[in-house]
Amino acid sequence: MTTLCALGLGPLLFPLVGLVAAAWGTGAFFALCGALCLLAAATGLSPVLRGVGL
């Protein structure tokens, strides 16, 4: 789940990087990326998804 969010959504969000950096600075962008990765890790560790068989 973390890889999907970090690598799958990353290329889609590249155009927004410049806009966020210009408006709020690069610190806000890195904080947002960290929050996204944390959310992906929490989702991947949820009991509902851990019990799903592929």
Side-chain angles (χ1 to χ4, degrees):
M1 185 56 84
T2 303
T3 303
L4 175 66
C5 288
L7 297 177
L9 294 178
L12 298 176
L13 298 176
F14 281 157
L16 295 177
V17 172
L19 295 173
V20 171
W24 296 301
T26 55
F29 173 73
F30 284 118
L32 181 64
C33 287
L36 180 65
C37 288
L38 183 63
L39 180 64
T43 304
L45 292 174
S46 70
V48 175
L49 288 180
R50 289 180 60 105
V52 174
L54 296 176

